Amino acid sequence: MRLSDLPKGATAVVDRVDDAHASDLIAQRLRDLGFVAGEPVRLVAVGPLGADPLLIQIGSTRFALRRAEAARVIVRAELAA
């Protein structure tokens, strides 16, 4: 599932960041920001009418991402404990 498809308030775990092409600077920046395999993420809020930006939380840090950027992050649903 793509991070951009996660329901509001849902938590997931990052599986990987997809590169659109070789030397993809946006994908590398996402990894530098902490979107790495195994990291829990949560979709906190979405823009008006479901548009950009998406407010994503990793740990105690929040990022505003465009939907196209969030679509590069592949996540898996976190299982309820």
Side-chain angles (χ1 to χ4, degrees):
M1 158 187 296
R2 298 188 180 282
L3 181 56
S4 58
D5 297 330
L6 202 62
K8 181 180 171 186
T11 302
V13 176
V14 174
D15 188 41
R16 69 182 185 279
V17 175
D18 284 343
D19 291 272
H21 51 78
S23 302
D24 186 346
L25 295 178
I26 293 174
Q28 184 57 49
R29 180 67 175 148
L30 289 169
R31 286 188 282 271
D32 291 345
L33 289 172
F35 292 89
V36 294
E39 283 297 316
V41 295
R42 184 168 68 97
L43 178 58
V44 177
V46 296
L49 302 174
D52 290 339
L54 303 177
L55 183 60
I56 309 295
Q57 183 168 338
I58 298 179
S60 61
T61 306
R62 292 182 174 189
F63 300 97
L65 297 179
R66 293 182 191 101
R67 198 167 282 279
E69 295 165 343
R72 295 177 186 218
V73 181
I74 307 302
V75 298
R76 58 185 184 275
E78 187 175 72
L79 299 174

